[in-house]
PDB file of all heavy atoms in Angstrom:
ATOM      1  N   PRO A 108      15.955   1.620  47.361  1.00  0.00           N
ATOM      2  CA  PRO A 108      16.383   0.285  47.844  1.00  0.00           C
ATOM      3  C   PRO A 108      15.931   0.005  49.276  1.00  0.00           C
ATOM      4  O   PRO A 108      15.528  -1.120  49.594  1.00  0.00           O
ATOM      5  CB  PRO A 108      17.911   0.364  47.746  1.00  0.00           C
ATOM      6  CG  PRO A 108      18.175   1.362  46.679  1.00  0.00           C
ATOM      7  CD  PRO A 108      17.095   2.396  46.819  1.00  0.00           C
ATOM      8  N   LEU A 109      15.965   1.012  50.114  1.00  0.00           N
ATOM      9  CA  LEU A 109      15.518   0.820  51.499  1.00  0.00           C
ATOM     10  C   LEU A 109      14.003   0.680  51.573  1.00  0.00           C
ATOM     11  O   LEU A 109      13.475  -0.111  52.367  1.00  0.00           O
ATOM     12  CB  LEU A 109      15.973   1.997  52.371  1.00  0.00           C
ATOM     13  CG  LEU A 109      17.472   2.267  52.431  1.00  0.00           C
ATOM     14  CD1 LEU A 109      17.761   3.449  53.348  1.00  0.00           C
ATOM     15  CD2 LEU A 109      18.220   1.038  52.914  1.00  0.00           C
ATOM     16  N   LEU A 110      13.296   1.450  50.745  1.00  0.00           N
ATOM     17  CA  LEU A 110      11.831   1.364  50.754  1.00  0.00           C
ATOM     18  C   LEU A 110      11.362  -0.013  50.279  1.00  0.00           C
ATOM     19  O   LEU A 110      10.457  -0.611  50.882  1.00  0.00           O
ATOM     20  CB  LEU A 110      11.241   2.449  49.855  1.00  0.00           C
ATOM     21  CG  LEU A 110      11.145   3.860  50.453  1.00  0.00           C
ATOM     22  CD1 LEU A 110      10.632   4.838  49.411  1.00  0.00           C
ATOM     23  CD2 LEU A 110      10.226   3.859  51.662  1.00  0.00           C
ATOM     24  N   THR A 111      11.980  -0.527  49.198  1.00  0.00           N
ATOM     25  CA  THR A 111      11.571  -1.847  48.709  1.00  0.00           C
ATOM     26  C   THR A 111      11.894  -2.935  49.734  1.00  0.00           C
ATOM     27  O   THR A 111      11.092  -3.848  49.959  1.00  0.00           O
ATOM     28  CB  THR A 111      12.258  -2.175  47.379  1.00  0.00           C
ATOM     29  OG1 THR A 111      13.673  -2.015  47.535  1.00  0.00           O
ATOM     30  CG2 THR A 111      11.764  -1.282  46.268  1.00  0.00           C
ATOM     31  N   GLY A 112      13.062  -2.840  50.362  1.00  0.00           N
ATOM     32  CA  GLY A 112      13.404  -3.823  51.393  1.00  0.00           C
ATOM     33  C   GLY A 112      12.415  -3.800  52.545  1.00  0.00           C
ATOM     34  O   GLY A 112      11.974  -4.853  53.038  1.00  0.00           O
ATOM     35  N   THR A 113      12.038  -2.596  52.957  1.00  0.00           N
ATOM     36  CA  THR A 113      11.084  -2.465  54.069  1.00  0.00           C
ATOM     37  C   THR A 113       9.704  -2.998  53.685  1.00  0.00           C
ATOM     38  O   THR A 113       9.080  -3.749  54.452  1.00  0.00           O
ATOM     39  CB  THR A 113      10.971  -0.984  54.481  1.00  0.00           C
ATOM     40  OG1 THR A 113      12.267  -0.493  54.840  1.00  0.00           O
ATOM     41  CG2 THR A 113      10.027  -0.816  55.664  1.00  0.00           C
ATOM     42  N   LEU A 114       9.233  -2.620  52.500  1.00  0.00           N
ATOM     43  CA  LEU A 114       7.892  -3.031  52.092  1.00  0.00           C
ATOM     44  C   LEU A 114       7.817  -4.532  51.816  1.00  0.00           C
ATOM     45  O   LEU A 114       6.834  -5.188  52.192  1.00  0.00           O
ATOM     46  CB  LEU A 114       7.462  -2.238  50.851  1.00  0.00           C
ATOM     47  CG  LEU A 114       7.263  -0.730  51.080  1.00  0.00           C
ATOM     48  CD1 LEU A 114       6.894  -0.032  49.780  1.00  0.00           C
ATOM     49  CD2 LEU A 114       6.185  -0.489  52.128  1.00  0.00           C
ATOM     50  N   ILE A 115       8.860  -5.092  51.192  1.00  0.00           N
ATOM     51  CA  ILE A 115       8.829  -6.531  50.899  1.00  0.00           C
ATOM     52  C   ILE A 115       8.872  -7.348  52.191  1.00  0.00           C
ATOM     53  O   ILE A 115       8.120  -8.324  52.352  1.00  0.00           O
ATOM     54  CB  ILE A 115      10.008  -6.903  49.971  1.00  0.00           C
ATOM     55  CG1 ILE A 115       9.753  -6.362  48.559  1.00  0.00           C
ATOM     56  CG2 ILE A 115      10.204  -8.412  49.916  1.00  0.00           C
ATOM     57  CD1 ILE A 115      10.904  -6.551  47.609  1.00  0.00           C
ATOM     58  N   SER A 116       9.725  -6.970  53.111  1.00  0.00           N
ATOM     59  CA  SER A 116       9.773  -7.703  54.389  1.00  0.00           C
ATOM     60  C   SER A 116       8.448  -7.578  55.133  1.00  0.00           C
ATOM     61  O   SER A 116       7.984  -8.536  55.773  1.00  0.00           O
ATOM     62  CB  SER A 116      10.919  -7.176  55.261  1.00  0.00           C
ATOM     63  OG  SER A 116      10.714  -5.815  55.601  1.00  0.00           O
ATOM     64  N   THR A 117       7.808  -6.417  55.018  1.00  0.00           N
ATOM     65  CA  THR A 117       6.510  -6.224  55.678  1.00  0.00           C
ATOM     66  C   THR A 117       5.427  -7.086  55.035  1.00  0.00           C
ATOM     67  O   THR A 117       4.608  -7.703  55.737  1.00  0.00           O
ATOM     68  CB  THR A 117       6.104  -4.741  55.611  1.00  0.00           C
ATOM     69  OG1 THR A 117       7.116  -3.951  56.234  1.00  0.00           O
ATOM     70  CG2 THR A 117       4.776  -4.500  56.310  1.00  0.00           C
ATOM     71  N   VAL A 118       5.417  -7.152  53.711  1.00  0.00           N
ATOM     72  CA  VAL A 118       4.417  -7.976  53.006  1.00  0.00           C
ATOM     73  C   VAL A 118       4.587  -9.449  53.377  1.00  0.00           C
ATOM     74  O   VAL A 118       3.607 -10.159  53.651  1.00  0.00           O
ATOM     75  CB  VAL A 118       4.548  -7.771  51.487  1.00  0.00           C
ATOM     76  CG1 VAL A 118       3.719  -8.812  50.733  1.00  0.00           C
ATOM     77  CG2 VAL A 118       4.097  -6.378  51.094  1.00  0.00           C
ATOM     78  N   ILE A 119       5.845  -9.919  53.405  1.00  0.00           N
ATOM     79  CA  ILE A 119       6.090 -11.321  53.784  1.00  0.00           C
ATOM     80  C   ILE A 119       5.605 -11.573  55.215  1.00  0.00           C
ATOM     81  O   ILE A 119       4.951 -12.591  55.504  1.00  0.00           O
ATOM     82  CB  ILE A 119       7.596 -11.651  53.660  1.00  0.00           C
ATOM     83  CG1 ILE A 119       8.033 -11.575  52.194  1.00  0.00           C
ATOM     84  CG2 ILE A 119       7.890 -13.042  54.216  1.00  0.00           C
ATOM     85  CD1 ILE A 119       9.536 -11.662  52.011  1.00  0.00           C
ATOM     86  N   ALA A 120       5.910 -10.648  56.095  1.00  0.00           N
ATOM     87  CA  ALA A 120       5.485 -10.807  57.491  1.00  0.00           C
ATOM     88  C   ALA A 120       3.965 -10.846  57.610  1.00  0.00           C
ATOM     89  O   ALA A 120       3.400 -11.654  58.368  1.00  0.00           O
ATOM     90  CB  ALA A 120       6.049  -9.667  58.335  1.00  0.00           C
ATOM     91  N   MET A 121       3.289  -9.986  56.851  1.00  0.00           N
ATOM     92  CA  MET A 121       1.824  -9.969  56.915  1.00  0.00           C
ATOM     93  C   MET A 121       1.218 -11.236  56.336  1.00  0.00           C
ATOM     94  O   MET A 121       0.172 -11.704  56.800  1.00  0.00           O
ATOM     95  CB  MET A 121       1.295  -8.739  56.169  1.00  0.00           C
ATOM     96  CG  MET A 121       1.586  -7.414  56.863  1.00  0.00           C
ATOM     97  SD  MET A 121       0.945  -7.351  58.552  1.00  0.00           S
ATOM     98  CE  MET A 121       2.407  -7.698  59.492  1.00  0.00           C
ATOM     99  N   CYS A 122       1.878 -11.804  55.294  1.00  0.00           N
ATOM    100  CA  CYS A 122       1.376 -13.061  54.725  1.00  0.00           C
ATOM    101  C   CYS A 122       1.419 -14.193  55.750  1.00  0.00           C
ATOM    102  O   CYS A 122       0.641 -15.148  55.671  1.00  0.00           O
ATOM    103  CB  CYS A 122       2.212 -13.441  53.494  1.00  0.00           C
ATOM    104  SG  CYS A 122       1.909 -12.385  52.065  1.00  0.00           S
ATOM    105  N   ILE A 186      15.964 -11.576  52.390  1.00  0.00           N
ATOM    106  CA  ILE A 186      14.834 -10.878  53.006  1.00  0.00           C
ATOM    107  C   ILE A 186      13.694 -11.835  53.347  1.00  0.00           C
ATOM    108  O   ILE A 186      12.806 -11.489  54.150  1.00  0.00           O
ATOM    109  CB  ILE A 186      14.333  -9.765  52.064  1.00  0.00           C
ATOM    110  CG1 ILE A 186      13.505  -8.716  52.840  1.00  0.00           C
ATOM    111  CG2 ILE A 186      13.515 -10.343  50.928  1.00  0.00           C
ATOM    112  CD1 ILE A 186      14.279  -7.926  53.832  1.00  0.00           C
ATOM    113  N   LEU A 187      13.692 -13.036  52.769  1.00  0.00           N
ATOM    114  CA  LEU A 187      12.602 -13.986  52.994  1.00  0.00           C
ATOM    115  C   LEU A 187      12.584 -14.501  54.433  1.00  0.00           C
ATOM    116  O   LEU A 187      11.534 -14.505  55.098  1.00  0.00           O
ATOM    117  CB  LEU A 187      12.738 -15.163  52.015  1.00  0.00           C
ATOM    118  CG  LEU A 187      11.699 -16.285  52.155  1.00  0.00           C
ATOM    119  CD1 LEU A 187      10.294 -15.746  51.916  1.00  0.00           C
ATOM    120  CD2 LEU A 187      12.005 -17.422  51.188  1.00  0.00           C
ATOM    121  N   GLY A 190      11.566 -11.913  57.017  1.00  0.00           N
ATOM    122  CA  GLY A 190      10.150 -11.590  56.825  1.00  0.00           C
ATOM    123  C   GLY A 190       9.245 -12.628  57.472  1.00  0.00           C
ATOM    124  O   GLY A 190       8.269 -12.283  58.144  1.00  0.00           O
ATOM    125  N   ILE A 191       9.587 -13.902  57.288  1.00  0.00           N
ATOM    126  CA  ILE A 191       8.784 -14.975  57.891  1.00  0.00           C
ATOM    127  C   ILE A 191       8.838 -14.903  59.412  1.00  0.00           C
ATOM    128  O   ILE A 191       7.806 -15.010  60.100  1.00  0.00           O
ATOM    129  CB  ILE A 191       9.290 -16.342  57.393  1.00  0.00           C
ATOM    130  CG1 ILE A 191       8.998 -16.504  55.903  1.00  0.00           C
ATOM    131  CG2 ILE A 191       8.646 -17.477  58.184  1.00  0.00           C
ATOM    132  CD1 ILE A 191       9.606 -17.742  55.281  1.00  0.00           C
ATOM    133  N   MET A 193       9.524 -12.331  61.269  1.00  0.00           N
ATOM    134  CA  MET A 193       8.776 -11.149  61.736  1.00  0.00           C
ATOM    135  C   MET A 193       7.290 -11.460  61.810  1.00  0.00           C
ATOM    136  O   MET A 193       6.587 -11.021  62.727  1.00  0.00           O
ATOM    137  CB  MET A 193       9.015  -9.962  60.800  1.00  0.00           C
ATOM    138  CG  MET A 193      10.227  -9.125  61.153  1.00  0.00           C
ATOM    139  SD  MET A 193      10.131  -7.470  60.448  1.00  0.00           S
ATOM    140  CE  MET A 193      10.058  -7.827  58.727  1.00  0.00           C
ATOM    141  N   ASN A 270      20.519  -3.243  47.641  1.00  0.00           N
ATOM    142  CA  ASN A 270      20.093  -3.567  46.279  1.00  0.00           C
ATOM    143  C   ASN A 270      18.665  -3.103  46.051  1.00  0.00           C
ATOM    144  O   ASN A 270      17.800  -3.274  46.906  1.00  0.00           O
ATOM    145  CB  ASN A 270      20.160  -5.084  46.050  1.00  0.00           C
ATOM    146  CG  ASN A 270      21.571  -5.607  46.185  1.00  0.00           C
ATOM    147  OD1 ASN A 270      22.532  -4.936  45.823  1.00  0.00           O
ATOM    148  ND2 ASN A 270      21.705  -6.814  46.719  1.00  0.00           N
ATOM    149  N   PHE A 271      18.449  -2.546  44.855  1.00  0.00           N
ATOM    150  CA  PHE A 271      17.075  -2.238  44.452  1.00  0.00           C
ATOM    151  C   PHE A 271      16.561  -3.419  43.644  1.00  0.00           C
ATOM    152  O   PHE A 271      16.779  -3.545  42.442  1.00  0.00           O
ATOM    153  CB  PHE A 271      17.037  -0.952  43.614  1.00  0.00           C
ATOM    154  CG  PHE A 271      15.648  -0.611  43.149  1.00  0.00           C
ATOM    155  CD1 PHE A 271      14.637  -0.347  44.061  1.00  0.00           C
ATOM    156  CD2 PHE A 271      15.346  -0.557  41.798  1.00  0.00           C
ATOM    157  CE1 PHE A 271      13.353  -0.040  43.629  1.00  0.00           C
ATOM    158  CE2 PHE A 271      14.076  -0.244  41.358  1.00  0.00           C
ATOM    159  CZ  PHE A 271      13.070   0.012  42.276  1.00  0.00           C
ATOM    160  N   THR A 272      15.918  -4.345  44.305  1.00  0.00           N
ATOM    161  CA  THR A 272      15.442  -5.567  43.667  1.00  0.00           C
ATOM    162  C   THR A 272      14.161  -6.029  44.342  1.00  0.00           C
ATOM    163  O   THR A 272      13.860  -5.624  45.471  1.00  0.00           O
ATOM    164  CB  THR A 272      16.516  -6.678  43.781  1.00  0.00           C
ATOM    165  OG1 THR A 272      16.005  -7.878  43.215  1.00  0.00           O
ATOM    166  CG2 THR A 272      16.869  -6.946  45.236  1.00  0.00           C
ATOM    167  N   PHE A 273      13.442  -6.886  43.616  1.00  0.00           N
ATOM    168  CA  PHE A 273      12.232  -7.480  44.189  1.00  0.00           C
ATOM    169  C   PHE A 273      12.411  -8.975  44.400  1.00  0.00           C
ATOM    170  O   PHE A 273      11.441  -9.678  44.665  1.00  0.00           O
ATOM    171  CB  PHE A 273      11.037  -7.211  43.260  1.00  0.00           C
ATOM    172  CG  PHE A 273      10.697  -5.754  43.130  1.00  0.00           C
ATOM    173  CD1 PHE A 273      11.189  -4.992  42.076  1.00  0.00           C
ATOM    174  CD2 PHE A 273       9.906  -5.124  44.080  1.00  0.00           C
ATOM    175  CE1 PHE A 273      10.892  -3.643  41.957  1.00  0.00           C
ATOM    176  CE2 PHE A 273       9.601  -3.770  43.976  1.00  0.00           C
ATOM    177  CZ  PHE A 273      10.100  -3.032  42.916  1.00  0.00           C
ATOM    178  N   ASP A 274      13.653  -9.464  44.284  1.00  0.00           N
ATOM    179  CA  ASP A 274      13.954 -10.875  44.466  1.00  0.00           C
ATOM    180  C   ASP A 274      14.106 -11.168  45.969  1.00  0.00           C
ATOM    181  O   ASP A 274      15.058 -10.715  46.614  1.00  0.00           O
ATOM    182  CB  ASP A 274      15.247 -11.218  43.715  1.00  0.00           C
ATOM    183  CG  ASP A 274      15.542 -12.715  43.747  1.00  0.00           C
ATOM    184  OD1 ASP A 274      14.801 -13.457  44.424  1.00  0.00           O
ATOM    185  OD2 ASP A 274      16.518 -13.128  43.091  1.00  0.00           O
ATOM    186  N   ILE A 275      13.172 -11.924  46.502  1.00  0.00           N
ATOM    187  CA  ILE A 275      13.168 -12.161  47.950  1.00  0.00           C
ATOM    188  C   ILE A 275      14.248 -13.137  48.404  1.00  0.00           C
ATOM    189  O   ILE A 275      14.439 -13.335  49.601  1.00  0.00           O
ATOM    190  CB  ILE A 275      11.788 -12.691  48.420  1.00  0.00           C
ATOM    191  CG1 ILE A 275      11.443 -14.012  47.718  1.00  0.00           C
ATOM    192  CG2 ILE A 275      10.719 -11.664  48.194  1.00  0.00           C
ATOM    193  CD1 ILE A 275      10.164 -14.646  48.220  1.00  0.00           C
ATOM    194  N   THR A 276      14.950 -13.753  47.442  1.00  0.00           N
ATOM    195  CA  THR A 276      16.043 -14.651  47.842  1.00  0.00           C
ATOM    196  C   THR A 276      17.341 -13.895  48.059  1.00  0.00           C
ATOM    197  O   THR A 276      18.328 -14.476  48.507  1.00  0.00           O
ATOM    198  CB  THR A 276      16.273 -15.728  46.765  1.00  0.00           C
ATOM    199  OG1 THR A 276      16.691 -15.106  45.545  1.00  0.00           O
ATOM    200  CG2 THR A 276      15.012 -16.534  46.524  1.00  0.00           C
ATOM    201  N   GLN A 277      17.367 -12.608  47.750  1.00  0.00           N
ATOM    202  CA  GLN A 277      18.589 -11.823  47.893  1.00  0.00           C
ATOM    203  C   GLN A 277      18.577 -11.000  49.178  1.00  0.00           C
ATOM    204  O   GLN A 277      17.540 -10.789  49.790  1.00  0.00           O
ATOM    205  CB  GLN A 277      18.749 -10.891  46.688  1.00  0.00           C
ATOM    206  CG  GLN A 277      18.981 -11.617  45.373  1.00  0.00           C
ATOM    207  CD  GLN A 277      19.280 -10.659  44.250  1.00  0.00           C
ATOM    208  OE1 GLN A 277      19.619  -9.497  44.475  1.00  0.00           O
ATOM    209  NE2 GLN A 277      19.156 -11.140  43.015  1.00  0.00           N
ATOM    210  N   MET A 279      18.651  -7.739  51.290  1.00  0.00           N
ATOM    211  CA  MET A 279      18.167  -6.355  51.164  1.00  0.00           C
ATOM    212  C   MET A 279      18.368  -5.651  52.500  1.00  0.00           C
ATOM    213  O   MET A 279      18.591  -6.297  53.532  1.00  0.00           O
ATOM    214  CB  MET A 279      16.675  -6.312  50.807  1.00  0.00           C
ATOM    215  CG  MET A 279      16.318  -6.923  49.480  1.00  0.00           C
ATOM    216  SD  MET A 279      14.561  -6.702  49.115  1.00  0.00           S
ATOM    217  CE  MET A 279      14.335  -7.921  47.841  1.00  0.00           C
ATOM    218  N   THR A 281      16.605  -2.734  55.093  1.00  0.00           N
ATOM    219  CA  THR A 281      15.427  -1.920  55.391  1.00  0.00           C
ATOM    220  C   THR A 281      15.861  -0.564  55.949  1.00  0.00           C
ATOM    221  O   THR A 281      17.042  -0.334  56.232  1.00  0.00           O
ATOM    222  CB  THR A 281      14.526  -2.625  56.418  1.00  0.00           C
ATOM    223  OG1 THR A 281      15.267  -2.766  57.637  1.00  0.00           O
ATOM    224  CG2 THR A 281      14.110  -4.003  55.928  1.00  0.00           C
TER     225      THR A 281
END
Side-chain angles (χ1 to χ4, degrees):
L109 302 181
L110 280 176
T111 53
T113 302
L114 294 178
I115 288 174
S116 63
T117 302
V118 169
I119 294 171
M121 290 303 100
C122 288
I186 200 66
L187 178 61
I191 292 173
M193 272 201 299
N270 298 325
F271 179 62
T272 177
F273 296 95
D274 186 355
I275 60 175
T276 63
Q277 294 186 17
M279 297 184 197
T281 63

